[in-house]
Amino acid sequence: MQQDSTTASTTARAEAWLAEDPDGDTRAELRALIDSGDADALAERFSGMLQFGTAGLRGALGAGPMRMNRAVVIRAAAGLAAYLREQGDGGGLVVVGYDARYKSAEFARDTAAVMTGAGLRAALLPGPLPTPVLAFAVQHMGAVAGVQVTASHNPPQDNGYKVYLGGGSQIVPPADGEIAAHIEAVGALSGVARPDAGWEVLDGTVLDSYLARTRAVLTEGSPRTARVVHTALHGVGTRTLLAAFAGAGFPAPVTVAEQAEPDPAFPTVAFPNPEEPGAMDLSFRTAREARPDVVIANDPDADRCAVAVPDPSAAAGWRTLKGDELGALLAAHLVRKGAKGTFAESIVSSSLLRRIAAAAGVPYEETLTGFKWIARVPGLRYGYEEAIGYCVDPEGVRDKDGITAALLVAELVSELKEHGRTLQDELDDLALAHGLHATDQLSARVDDLSLIAAAMRRLREQPPTALAGLRVARAEDLASGPNGLPPTDGLRYTLSGQHEARVIVRPSGTEPKIKCYLEVVVPVPAAADLPGAKATAHEVLEALKADVARAAGL
């Protein structure tokens, strides 16, 4: 009887949702679910509301409050508008951008309509564009907020809603909670004004301004000879990157033809993330024919940048650099260019940046994971995190930017070419100067989020005393906010013994994953010791993976 009443209640909520759903596609989907009597599917979709947090919204497309759809987006926009009015920004400008995923354009137009109806000024970017263009526009146009409709590198069935406040940085607490409270307070959608017009659709001027700004990352007169193969992984990065390279005077990159145009189905990759196995296969095939100096990949919204280098020992003939390797290469390049200001990274990124900064005498800061934190470091000059995100021009884009990062990579490769050197040679020099900093990651994707909570609880209740034969010298619960960091759900272990090592375990903020970040530092007295150091580092990282998995019950 209880089950029948629960099902009836869920069905009634679904019917009420259906009555105000503005989208014919999701209305048809929900009508079919109700008519089929699929109680489990309805219960899952109506078990709560997709939660707005520091990553905004992100989830699978579909009908109901636990999915990304026009009804959810309209509520989110109305809540954001109410928050802006409460902050005294009721007449301000909100810039709205979007990528090429399913429903992105519709979500962007709904947002512009809601902002206009709430008395704010709204400006819509002229088409699907990289997220960094939106972040740039917020600063450039003096907007009080910006919204980018994107799910970044998530699977095709997902979409998302990323919010920036004035200054061009993503939201952090307490703003996220305050916006969420306003979203929860939104009543019937019929009460949310959505005029059919009144917002501005921007022309190409803002993109031209962004492209002009990208050249600021390069040194005047620096060599521009790097030959590049580029993939946008079916995202929106191709045209913007090609325009940036042309404007800077680099040879036109060779594009991976099958992945150059936006396609929300992402047909050639299992997962549209350059870090995922197989995602770069077509790039490597193109590179074997084109024989470039470097391969550069952007994720679908082009705020991230991955780089691959020739490697005869690799099966494909190319090796994708880890995010930490590229982070160190760009830092060292900026140091040589005389960059002044603070170098910053997230706590899960390699400690090599700290050593590079110390040797150069530049300030260094460590933040929580995410560019929403890195971008707020006072005096920021360069910031990165291991998930292939790089901020190389914070005065232009106060967020990660895969286009300007690609330009800086091309400049570095060009300079090294002039001296008969490669990115790998540069990495080896950094190892000789500071020790080999080898990093890896262990992650587990789950269908049941309670498994993540269980793994974190197990580690807290039964903390490891040794990992990979190294003693746990210090165990920190990041929920207590050590070293002035804001509290967050995570654990950090500092290991000592034959080698220095570090392990951080945390739930992902954007995906149903638990992530374990591993680092080992192996001294390299001379160049002849490099092969042995690399072998040792690999062995320690593999042992760390096994021991961390066992300790967390993964």
Side-chain angles (χ1 to χ4, degrees), residues 293-295 307-310 319 321 326 329 409 412-413 416 421-430:
D293 300 307
V294 67
V295 171
V307 166
V309 297
R319 178 177 79 87
L321 299 181
L326 184 54
L329 286 168
V409 168
L412 171 57
V413 170
L416 291 171
R421 290 168 51 78
T422 66
L423 292 178
Q424 185 58 58
D425 293 331
E426 186 75 358
L427 284 170
D428 289 345
D429 281 355
L430 288 171

Side-chain angles (χ1 to χ4, degrees), residues 189-536:
L189 288 191
S190 59
V192 179
R194 284 185 291 126
D196 294 328
W199 57 89
E200 179 185 5
V201 178
L202 298 170
D203 59 20
T205 305
V206 68
L207 177 59
D208 292 342
S209 297
Y210 167 80
L211 289 169
R213 177 70 202 188
T214 61
R215 296 191 284 278
V217 306
L218 304 173
T219 299
E220 187 174 352
S222 64
R224 313 282 168 92
T225 59
R227 294 175 297 111
V228 173
V229 159
H230 174 259
T231 179
L233 288 184
H234 302 293
V236 296
T238 298
R239 287 180 176 82
T240 304
L241 181 131
L242 292 180
F245 270 63
F250 285 100
V254 175
T255 60
V256 178
E258 301 93 331
Q259 299 173 335
E261 293 301 316
D263 187 334
F266 304 106
T268 69
V269 290
F271 206 93
N273 180 351
E275 298 174 290
E276 292 289 329
M280 299 283 280
D281 287 355
L282 286 175
S283 300
F284 297 157
R285 189 186 74 184
T286 303
R288 288 193 292 271
E289 297 170 358
R291 303 179 65 82
D293 300 307
V294 67
V295 171
I296 295 177
N298 292 124
D299 67 338
D301 69 327
D303 64 349
R304 299 173 194 242
C305 178
V307 166
V309 297
D311 184 349
S313 68
W318 288 79
R319 178 177 79 87
T320 303
L321 299 181
K322 293 185 182 298
D324 283 317
E325 291 179 305
L326 184 54
L329 286 168
L330 292 178
H333 182 51
L334 287 169
V335 164
R336 283 194 299 274
K337 285 159 65 82
K340 303 297 182 186
T342 300
F343 283 32
E345 64 179 338
S346 62
I347 57 174
V348 299
S349 302
S350 171
S351 60
L352 177 55
L353 183 66
R354 182 193 298 269
R355 288 179 165 90
I356 292 172
V362 300
Y364 166 86
E365 291 288 341
E366 187 179 64
T367 75
L368 292 184
T369 306
F371 268 83
K372 57 185 175 284
W373 298 108
I374 294 172
R376 284 178 161 74
V377 169
L380 180 68
R381 176 58 185 86
Y382 169 65
Y384 99 91
E385 63 180 0
E386 54 76 40
I388 59 173
Y390 310 92
C391 176
V392 299
D393 177 27
E395 294 304 310
V397 175
R398 209 158 185 83
D399 196 9
K400 54 187 179 291
D401 182 349
I403 305 297
T404 49
L407 283 174
L408 201 60
V409 168
E411 180 183 65
L412 171 57
V413 170
S414 299
E415 290 186 359
L416 291 171
K417 273 180 67 176
E418 284 204 336
H419 298 92
R421 290 168 51 78
T422 66
L423 292 178
Q424 185 58 58
D425 293 331
E426 186 75 358
L427 284 170
D428 289 345
D429 281 355
L430 288 171
L432 286 166
H434 305 290
L436 177 65
H437 290 63
T439 60
D440 207 344
Q441 188 180 132
L442 169 69
S443 65
R445 182 179 290 271
V446 300
D447 294 322
D448 180 359
L449 291 177
S450 69
L451 296 177
I452 295 177
M456 297 299 293
R457 184 169 58 251
R458 174 179 174 138
L459 287 169
R460 286 186 168 102
E461 293 173 353
Q462 304 172 47
T465 57
L467 296 166
L470 301 173
R471 181 175 62 88
V472 176
R474 186 167 72 252
E476 298 168 284
D477 191 334
L478 300 178
S480 66
N483 302 322
L485 291 171
T488 188
D489 188 10
L491 299 163
R492 177 165 59 184
Y493 305 104
T494 303
L495 312 176
S496 64
Q498 190 174 358
H499 309 290
E500 296 177 40
R502 185 207 65 197
V503 173
I504 295 176
V505 185
R506 60 179 283 272
S508 170
T510 57
E511 299 176 86
K513 283 183 176 181
I514 185 169
K515 293 186 172 183
C516 310
Y517 304 84
L518 319 171
E519 179 179 43
V520 61
V521 183
V522 181
V524 186
D529 300 307
L530 268 168
K534 291 176 182 178
T536 297

